[in-house]
Structures are given as structure tokens and as C-alpha cells.
């Protein structure tokens, strides 16, 4: 991704030459989406495409617009992430962007496929249980494609505290930690009590009936006794990984 330490450029003067799409070029996504092609320059991170609720035809149009806009390469190393893409929607995107990296477990595609050279601090993603792994992988891949070194720690839920305690050295090397947990959602508070880095808590919808599709885990995380815990929405691995990547971004001297 673009180095967030770089200052934003002043906007170009208005007129036909001010924008690459000015003139008679037709946008393949017109009437479907207005893609924020400037976001990588403005924020340092490219726009992501949330695939749930979009038809395969709409995703083909969006992918075509991205391919045509960035025919000579994505700006400043930016990568576009397609999130929550089931097999049918992933196939539609790959029809247009066959070189995109597809991670079925995380329901995520990245284009261009190679992650950028990492800068900044380490992001550790800790996953409470194997059932939470798809959301954890979404978080880990998001942080990686936003330009951070990442490490995934799996199956360290509080039912066996020795498992997370055995990974304390890894956790303490992180600039930011994403903790993904369902059921009772207690793991982020445990981790936050062991480390100095900020903890981004991601509740998942994993659990039995009284988990209320992740509401129980969400409320536990919001009520964490340990300070330094921030919480994103249920199953929002992308949001958790993005926030951790921003926390771990390099800072100017």
C-alpha cells in the first residue's frame, strides 16, 4: 500500500486533463457503483469491494472497471480486496481478473495478487478456535495486503489457558493484535492483560443458541475489564485487520 507517511498531493486543477477518466471513456461500472479510485492516494489504502449482496454480473462490471483503470498497474502498490466472496462471486471476479489471489477459506480475493513489501510493525492475529479461523484469516490477509508483516496464531481459546500463555512472546512482539473469538468472547480481555500493544477484538457468530449469533461475544468484548481493547462488528475480519494495520503503520520521525 502507499506509504502513509507520504503527504497527500494537492488536487489537480479542474478540466478535461485533471482526471484520467475525463472524456468519452465509458465506465463499465456506471449505474452500479462509483468506485473510489482516489482512496489509495488520499488515505494510503485502496477501496475494498464487499461482495455479499452484489450479483456476479455486478462484480464482473466492478472488476472490469478496476482492470481498465489500472491497466498499467495499481497506484503506489495499492491492492484491491474483494471481501465476503462465495464461490459463485469469486468465479465472476476471476473471469475478469484471472491472476487475482483467491483465498476461499477467508472468502477474499486480492488484486494485484502479490502483497506489498511489508513496512511498519508486526500484526498478530490470534484465533480462539478452529471454527473462528475463516474470520481470522480474513483479518490476517487484510493486514498483510495493507502492507504489514503478519503472524497467525490458531486455536488458543481460554478453555486451555496454557495455549495462549505459550504464545506470549509472540504476542509481545506485535505492534497490534487482532483477537478473533466466538462463544463467550473472553479471549481479547485475557490477551490485553498480557501485552502492551492495542488489542482489536473481533467477535464471531460461532457458538450455541445463547450466543445469539455473536451478540454474547460482542457484549463480553465491549465490557472487557482489561484496558486497551477496541471492538469491531461481528464477523468483521476485514475491519479488524484494517484497524490493526493502521495502528501498526510506520510513523514519521
Amino acid at each position: 500500500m502507499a506509504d502513509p507517511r507520504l503527504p497527500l498531493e494537492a488536487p489537480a486543477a479542474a478540466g478535461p486533463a485533471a482526471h484520467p477518466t475525463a472524456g468519452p471513456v465509458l465506465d463499465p461500472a456506471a449505474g452500479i457503483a462509483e468506485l473510489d479510485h482516489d482512496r489509495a492516494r488520499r488515505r494510503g489504502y485502496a477501496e475494498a469491494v464487499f461482495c455479499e449482496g452484489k450479483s456476479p454480473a455486478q462484480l464482473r462490471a466492478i472488476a472490469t472497471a478496476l482492470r481498465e483503470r489500472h491497466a498499467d498497474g495499481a497506484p503506489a502498490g495499492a491492492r484491491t480486496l474483494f471481501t465476503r466472496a462465495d464461490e459463485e462471486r469469486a468465479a465472476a471476479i476471476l473471469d475478469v481478473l484471472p491472476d487475482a489471489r483467491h483465498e476461499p477459506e477467508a472468502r477474499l480475493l486480492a488484486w494485484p495478487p502479490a502483497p506489498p513489501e511489508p513496512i511498519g510493525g508486526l500484526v498478530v492475529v490470534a484465533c480462539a478456535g478452529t471454527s473462528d479461523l475463516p474470520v481470522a484469516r480474513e483479518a490476517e490477509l487484510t493486514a498483510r495486503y495493507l502492507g504489514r508483516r503478519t503472524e497467525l496464531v490458531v486455536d488458543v481459546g481460554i478453555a486451555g489457558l496454557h495455549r495462549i500463555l505459550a504464545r506470549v512472546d509472540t504476542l509481545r512482539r506485535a505492534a497490534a493484535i487482532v483477537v478473533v473469538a466466538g462463544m463467550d468472547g473472553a479471549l481479547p480481555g485475557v490477551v490485553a492483560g498480557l501485552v502492551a500493544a492495542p488489542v482489536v477484538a473481533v467477535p464471531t457468530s460461532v457458538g450455541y443458541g445463547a450466543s445469539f449469533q455473536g451478540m454474547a461475544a460482542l457484549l463480553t468484548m465491549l465490557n472487557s475489564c482489561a484496558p486497551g481493547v477496541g471492538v469491531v462488528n461481528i464477523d468483521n475480519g476485514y475491519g479488524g485487520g484494517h484497524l490493526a494495520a493502521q495502528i501498526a503503520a510506520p510513523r514519521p520521525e
Side-chain angles (χ1 to χ4, degrees):
M1 289 303 169
D3 190 335
R5 296 171 294 182
L6 299 178
L8 296 181
E9 299 174 3
H19 198 283
T21 59
V25 178
L26 297 179
D27 184 352
I32 296 172
E34 186 172 346
L35 301 181
D36 188 358
H37 296 291
D38 186 56
R39 191 176 301 184
R41 182 201 64 84
R42 189 176 73 248
R43 291 206 58 209
Y45 309 100
E47 181 178 25
V49 179
F50 183 76
C51 297
E52 278 185 6
K54 295 181 177 67
S55 70
Q58 289 171 333
L59 289 168
R60 286 190 192 94
I62 290 169
T64 300
L66 284 168
R67 183 191 64 194
E68 293 184 359
R69 172 77 178 211
H70 303 308
D72 297 326
R79 271 64 175 172
T80 296
L81 298 181
F82 296 83
T83 67
R84 297 304 175 89
D86 61 15
E87 288 300 319
E88 181 183 15
R89 285 161 179 78
I93 296 162
L94 291 168
D95 283 345
V96 179
L97 302 171
D99 60 334
R101 177 174 177 178
H102 180 207
E103 293 284 346
E105 182 178 39
R107 294 188 292 167
L108 182 143
L109 296 94
W111 184 82
E117 193 67 27
I119 57 174
L122 172 69
V123 172
V124 171
V125 179
C127 174
T130 305
S131 296
D132 303 308
L133 196 52
V135 177
R137 284 283 287 153
E138 182 184 34
E140 188 259 334
L141 288 164
T142 297
R144 187 189 308 174
Y145 274 91
L146 267 58
R148 304 294 165 261
R149 292 183 298 117
T150 62
E151 188 164 340
L152 182 63
V153 174
V154 302
D155 199 19
V156 288
I158 67 163
L161 280 175
H162 61 284
R163 297 180 298 188
I164 191 65
L165 293 175
R167 308 306 293 269
V168 167
D169 287 345
T170 298
L171 297 171
R172 288 179 176 168
R173 289 191 289 107
I177 301 168
V178 181
V179 180
V180 181
M183 297 287 188
D184 52 19
L187 184 60
V190 172
V191 171
L194 297 170
V195 301
V199 171
V200 179
V202 184
T204 72
S205 52
V206 171
Y208 296 103
S211 71
F212 298 108
Q213 292 78 52
M215 285 298 299
L218 172 65
L219 291 173
T220 297
M221 294 173 183
L222 288 171
N223 287 283
S224 173
C225 180
V229 177
V231 187
V232 299
N233 210 343
I234 298 167
D235 291 335
N236 188 9
Y238 170 79
H242 203 299
L243 180 55
Q246 292 187 61
I247 293 170
R251 298 293 184 263
E253 295 294 335

